[in-house]
Amino acid sequence: MSFSTYRSHRGAVFAKAKLTGPDDSPAMTSITRHVEEKDRWLAAIRSAVSAEGGSAGKLVIYIHGYNNSYDEALETAEKVRRSYRYTVPTVLLSWPSRANGQGYVFDEASIGWAQQYNSRIITDLAEVATDITIVSHSMGARALVQGVLDLDARRPDLARHVKRLVMASPDMDRHRVLRDGGEIDSLLAFGRPEGGAGERRDIVVYTSGQDRPIQLSRMAHGYARLGSTECKYSVDYQDRDVPKPQSDDCHATRQRDNFWIIDTSRSPGPDSDVWRHSDVFDSCTGRADLRAFLMGYHDRPWRQRLDWEKRPDWHETPAWKDRVGWRLVDDPTLERDGVCVEWVPD
């Protein structure tokens, strides 16, 4: 089965992919077969989610970004799946990207066109699984954010089934997401930010000052992107004049429980290319940090905290006193002979 890079009036198509390869190694081949009915597709997922074992009740959803073919998105979805200690059923939400570097405007329009379908599927999946993690890359963060906000608003009884959100290199407006009362505050509180203390989602954002596609997106949109650490184009205009090295820390934001925003600029991996748009998937430290987050470990030695106490250069900007961010620092124990060593908790 193949997927078109163009939209279709038929709407969502449901399929099952089988990936094969050596044990404990990335898949080398895949076969995707069409599933005629959504109910059959959901029944298969319900069966997988209900299976006994370390992953019982868990489901992962991956949403790809701009300039991705189906096969490329499937490859990254498998990397996400392999981040778990146990086999976890994984769903790829594949929308019609042109899979072309010059197709940014088309992709931006198409992910918006696909939002209604993506929101419905996220809601459907929340009915069959009770412990869902959604991972997005690049432009896919837009579908993640709106899809979960739609779930929270329309089905608050299912909202708490989506427990973790991961946004890698998110191509969204930074201020819109991080401002007080913005989308992060709503997502953390299951759509009820005014509700005060209580159960909260875990959310991690991976950002970078070396991400070339995010830099190009900022040029197209005029203001800082969530996937960037730079200060020069911040909506907080006082941040635009802060000196180096503070000007590399503009991802730092108000302290929020269960929220981490992490700079991967200093953590390129052996598989990284000049675009640096996938550090968290390509670098050994990035992969380890994602794995730790998915397993509930948030205080790792390679994750450096940035705050008022640890960053004296911030003291020239009093408004930064309550900000906090993080930065990945390469851990040599996570790589051996150019190959990533799989991190496991002590």
Side-chain angles (χ1 to χ4, degrees):
M1 180 179 180
S2 61
F3 288 84
S4 171
T5 59
Y6 296 90
R7 305 177 196 176
S8 169
H9 67 281
R10 295 189 299 255
V13 175
F14 301 91
K16 182 176 181 179
K18 181 179 181 180
L19 289 78
T20 58
D23 291 342
D24 299 321
S25 299
M28 299 178 66
T29 61
S30 66
I31 299 174
T32 300
R33 301 188 185 281
H34 184 217
V35 177
E36 293 291 341
E37 299 175 358
K38 181 173 77 169
D39 288 345
R40 286 182 56 200
W41 182 76
L42 288 171
I45 295 171
R46 181 180 287 107
S47 177
V49 166
S50 301
E52 295 182 0
S55 62
K58 291 183 171 61
L59 179 70
V60 182
I61 302 171
Y62 174 67
I63 310 175
H64 67 81
Y66 142 78
N67 187 21
N68 266 219
S69 68
Y70 168 75
D71 288 335
E72 289 169 333
L74 188 64
E75 180 181 350
T76 306
E78 197 222 0
K79 289 181 181 179
V80 173
R81 180 186 66 82
R82 290 174 60 80
S83 296
Y84 278 88
R85 195 172 186 179
Y86 307 99
T87 299
V88 175
T90 303
V91 172
L92 165 63
L93 290 191
S94 181
W95 51 274
S97 165
R98 288 290 179 92
N100 185 308
Q102 296 179 327
Y104 183 87
V105 174
F106 296 103
D107 280 8
E108 194 163 46
S110 286
I111 196 169
W113 169 85
Q115 186 61 58
Q116 185 178 26
Y117 301 113
N118 288 332
S119 291
R120 286 177 179 173
I121 292 169
I122 289 171
T123 300
D124 290 337
L125 292 172
E127 292 183 332
V128 303
T130 58
D131 188 343
I132 296 175
T133 299
I134 307 181
V135 180
S136 69
H137 180 231
S138 187
M139 197 179 283
R142 305 182 195 186
L144 179 155
V145 168
Q146 191 57 54
V148 178
L149 289 176
D150 287 344
L151 171 69
D152 290 347
R154 298 170 184 171
R155 293 296 304 272
D157 57 314
L158 300 176
R160 281 168 172 73
H161 291 181
V162 177
K163 298 186 180 299
R164 282 162 235 92
L165 304 177
V166 178
M167 289 180 263
S169 308
D171 184 9
M172 298 186 69
D173 184 275
R174 184 167 68 203
H175 187 259
R176 167 183 156 182
V177 177
L178 296 182
R179 64 192 173 194
D180 289 348
E183 288 159 331
I184 282 294
D185 287 336
S186 185
L187 292 168
L188 282 167
F190 301 97
R192 301 290 184 271
E194 71 283 354
E199 186 182 1
R200 294 166 73 82
R201 286 191 178 103
D202 286 343
I203 302 177
V204 64
V205 172
Y206 292 102
T207 180
S208 173
Q210 301 296 322
D211 190 321
R212 307 300 192 271
I214 291 295
Q215 292 171 4
L216 293 172
S217 176
R218 186 266 304 155
M219 292 173 65
H221 294 95
Y223 292 95
R225 311 307 283 167
L226 182 60
S228 170
T229 64
E230 67 178 352
C231 292
K232 188 175 180 181
Y233 297 91
S234 175
V235 173
D236 295 319
Y237 285 88
Q238 64 178 351
D239 292 349
R240 296 189 177 197
D241 297 324
V242 299
K244 287 277 190 180
Q246 183 182 357
S247 59
D248 294 326
D249 298 340
C250 263
H251 63 297
T253 185
R254 175 173 61 81
Q255 173 76 51
R256 295 170 169 92
D257 292 339
N258 300 65
F259 177 65
W260 300 266
I261 185 163
I262 304 170
D263 175 18
T264 66
S265 300
R266 300 183 186 179
S267 186
D271 301 327
S272 296
D273 58 26
V274 297
W275 295 102
R276 295 287 304 276
H277 194 44
S278 304
D279 282 349
V280 71
F281 303 126
D282 293 340
S283 76
C284 300
T285 306
R287 293 181 191 181
D289 196 76
L290 175 60
R291 183 178 175 88
F293 173 82
L294 296 175
M295 296 172 66
Y297 293 86
H298 305 299
D299 186 17
R300 299 292 87 198
W302 58 74
R303 191 186 286 189
Q304 180 185 71
R305 183 182 171 100
L306 310 175
D307 59 25
W308 186 261
E309 180 180 345
K310 293 180 172 59
R311 300 287 291 182
D313 53 303
W314 289 11
H315 294 183
E316 298 298 320
T317 314
W320 283 46
K321 189 171 184 178
D322 296 322
R323 293 192 188 186
V324 62
W326 286 263
R327 175 175 292 129
L328 294 188
V329 179
D330 266 349
D331 185 334
T333 66
L334 298 172
E335 181 180 341
R336 186 179 301 123
D337 299 327
V339 178
C340 295
V341 176
E342 188 175 87
W343 174 81
V344 292
D346 297 332

